[in-house]
Amino acid sequence: LLENVTDTANWDACPALSPDGKTLYFSSNRKATGAFGATDLYVSKLADNGTWSRPRNLGRSINTPGDDMFPYVAPDGRLFFASSGHSGLGGLDLFVQDTVKVMDSLNRPVKQLKIKNLGIPINSSYDDFGIVFRNKSNGYFSSNRIGDGAKGDDDIYQFKNDSADIKFVAYCLRGTTYSRVKIGNSAPNQLGEVQVELRDDTGQVVETVTSGPDGKYEFKTRVEVGKTYRVNAQKVTYLADNEPFSMVGKGVNPQTLPKRFNTVCYELDLVLRKNLLNIEVPPTQIPGKTRPDLTKGVLEIEINYEYDSTRITVEAAKTLDEFAEFLTDYLAENPKAVLELGSHTDIRGNDKYNQRLSEGRARSAVRYLVGKGIPEANILAKGYGESQPKVKNAKTEPQHLINRRTTVRPIK
């Protein structure tokens, strides 16, 4: 019934979809070029436009001169099938295509696909086929064996593998939330009471937890091998940290673990930047307010210039690099914000000269930030010269240094 897949002149049967629904395996007795036996296994892929690719023979590692049929893809991605051509106990036997580690010519471990017979008691000297799993150790299969409570020709059997040799592993995700509170090489500190969300690849929230006083968090929901996630951390007066987390290619072989039931945890640390352009005002300072409020603040950052120069020094570049990281996070949450980068001089020198110098320094800093990926439309340069001194009538060099400052102010 599928365009490009079904061959109306031959027998196509036993369809099996991969867990993600994007790969179709089936059996066919078509005599196409590349067929190996009476019945072979084929695969077709679902394209983005909703059509299926032309079937591809799975090759001689799986197909034999005999019958290869009844494919099934387990939840962990392993391919099971029945075959009368691989070495077995008689009739159709059940096999699995599994990944094993072998050593190459340079004695390096490499992964290799290997076909394994499921053995007794699943297989017998009769036809055993059509296996499916309920979970990792329980499932069903069909057989025409005699005995074992057989009722007719082909019967359905249930199996349960409760052997102590079978081991299980669950994967958890945990980490620590940190804060970065200022511009200028500040080491992050552990930050508690952070709301941390785990989202799946569709953007749906799977679980929300709150980090403890030490910043530690852990999701109860187990992450699954082969899936991708996104973790979002939020706290009032901080910019959110939104990090991807992938389980593609991760996972361990349960048989290498010491216990029957094991938990393997992956660590993902999250760093939230203090929103330096928001100041939390306690409710006691706001008449009529019963909860904290946020007011827009003015951020001062230290950008040191050489005397009589607008050139960005090495030290200034380090500060601007970290400020650019802050702006990137800030604009991700406030994409329409417009910030003014203002340059101030001390009160020494000619007014007009100080005005031109401050304008040149502000433009130089803005150009540097734009070069680091900050959109030009989100940041404006403004020179204030000596018109807004923090220390009026400054006399000492430390006082002049306070007046030579750079301010960042939201204007939209």
Side-chain angles (χ1 to χ4, degrees):
L1 298 177
L2 299 177
E3 186 179 357
N4 294 335
V5 176
T6 302
D7 185 341
T8 56
N10 295 289
W11 178 83
D12 299 310
C14 310
L17 285 170
S18 60
D20 63 5
K22 295 181 179 180
T23 305
L24 172 68
Y25 297 90
F26 66 97
S27 306
S28 178
N29 66 351
R30 63 185 64 192
K31 300 302 179 183
T33 302
F36 292 91
T39 306
D40 281 1
L41 293 178
Y42 292 81
V43 63
S44 177
K45 300 282 187 177
L46 181 63
D48 291 340
N49 63 3
T51 62
W52 291 90
S53 66
R54 288 196 174 279
R56 174 178 59 84
N57 189 291
L58 288 184
R60 67 173 65 254
S61 64
I62 288 183
N63 290 315
T64 67
D67 288 319
D68 301 287
M69 53 208 315
F70 298 104
Y72 170 73
V73 186
D76 62 6
R78 291 184 299 166
L79 175 64
F80 291 79
F81 63 98
S83 175
S84 64
H86 288 280
S87 178
L89 303 178
L92 287 172
D93 272 12
L94 285 163
F95 295 84
V96 60
Q97 184 186 49
D98 209 350
T99 302
V100 296
K101 286 187 176 180
V102 298
M103 307 305 289
D104 65 9
S105 59
L106 298 178
N107 202 34
R108 297 173 302 187
V110 295
K111 292 182 179 181
Q112 188 177 82
L113 292 177
K114 184 177 181 180
I115 305 300
K116 294 182 180 180
N117 188 299
L118 296 190
I120 298 173
I122 296 292
N123 287 321
S124 67
S125 60
Y126 294 86
D127 289 333
D128 307 291
F129 54 95
I131 193 169
V132 294
F133 284 83
R134 292 179 57 197
N135 51 46
K136 292 183 178 180
S137 60
N138 295 351
Y140 306 94
F141 69 97
S142 299
S143 178
N144 67 352
R145 66 185 63 190
I146 297 175
D148 291 331
K151 304 296 182 182
D153 186 9
D154 293 333
D155 284 0
I156 296 175
Y157 292 83
Q158 180 179 5
F159 65 87
K160 178 179 181 180
N161 192 341
D162 55 4
S163 168
D165 294 333
I166 298 297
K167 296 180 179 180
F168 303 91
V169 59
Y171 299 99
C172 79
L173 180 60
R174 65 189 182 190
T176 306
T177 54
Y178 293 90
S179 68
R180 191 179 294 279
V181 297
K182 64 179 182 178
I183 303 297
N185 301 321
S186 61
N189 298 312
Q190 289 174 314
L191 179 66
E193 303 302 318
V194 176
Q195 180 178 288
V196 188
E197 291 179 342
L198 177 67
R199 294 175 177 266
D200 61 22
D201 56 2
T202 68
Q204 294 295 314
V205 176
V206 177
E207 185 182 353
T208 301
V209 297
T210 301
S211 64
D214 58 356
K216 301 293 185 182
Y217 75 90
E218 181 176 334
F219 294 111
K220 293 181 180 180
T221 301
R222 297 317 188 192
V223 291
E224 300 180 32
V225 173
K227 292 190 175 182
T228 58
Y229 301 88
R230 187 162 286 275
V231 181
N232 181 268
Q234 299 182 64
K235 185 179 176 72
V236 175
T237 75
Y238 286 82
L239 299 175
D241 187 14
N242 195 4
E243 300 290 339
F245 179 76
S246 175
M247 284 294 292
V248 176
K250 289 187 172 69
V252 297
N253 182 353
Q255 300 308 312
T256 64
L257 299 175
K259 302 176 182 178
R260 186 177 184 196
F261 296 96
N262 302 271
T263 300
V264 174
C265 288
Y266 291 96
E267 301 280 339
L268 180 66
D269 292 340
L270 304 160
V271 180
L272 288 75
R273 294 182 179 275
K274 185 72 174 178
N275 189 347
L276 301 173
L277 296 174
N278 275 346
I279 302 173
E280 186 174 10
V281 181
T284 55
Q285 298 181 14
I286 309 174
K289 288 282 187 177
T290 58
R291 61 181 178 81
D293 197 9
L294 296 177
T295 60
K296 296 299 180 182
V298 177
L299 168 66
E300 292 187 4
I301 57 177
E302 184 178 349
I303 304 177
N304 294 321
Y305 296 89
E306 296 172 332
Y307 177 72
D308 194 27
S309 173
T310 62
R311 188 177 70 88
I312 301 297
T313 64
V314 174
E315 292 76 13
K318 292 179 181 178
T319 301
L320 285 171
D321 285 344
E322 190 170 346
F323 182 54
E325 293 179 8
F326 167 79
L327 281 183
T328 299
D329 292 342
Y330 181 84
L331 293 173
E333 294 189 19
N334 306 278
K336 296 183 179 181
V338 179
L339 306 178
E340 175 196 275
L341 193 104
S343 179
H344 303 257
T345 67
D346 59 39
I347 61 175
R348 295 175 294 186
N350 179 275
D351 288 357
K352 290 184 178 179
Y353 169 80
N354 282 337
Q355 181 65 34
R356 289 195 302 271
L357 181 62
S358 65
E359 290 173 356
R361 286 176 172 176
R363 287 194 297 269
S364 180
V366 167
R367 281 196 300 269
Y368 186 91
L369 292 170
V370 170
K372 290 294 179 178
I374 303 302
E376 196 169 359
N378 291 107
I379 186 164
L380 303 177
K382 185 173 179 62
Y384 285 93
E386 58 184 76
S387 65
Q388 295 183 3
K390 288 189 72 175
V391 180
K392 295 181 179 180
N393 302 315
K395 302 297 183 182
T396 66
E397 185 57 34
Q399 290 174 333
H400 291 309
L401 181 60
I402 292 174
N403 286 335
R404 293 196 304 269
R405 67 197 190 279
T406 299
T407 56
V408 183
R409 182 171 64 92
I411 60 176
K412 181 182 177 182

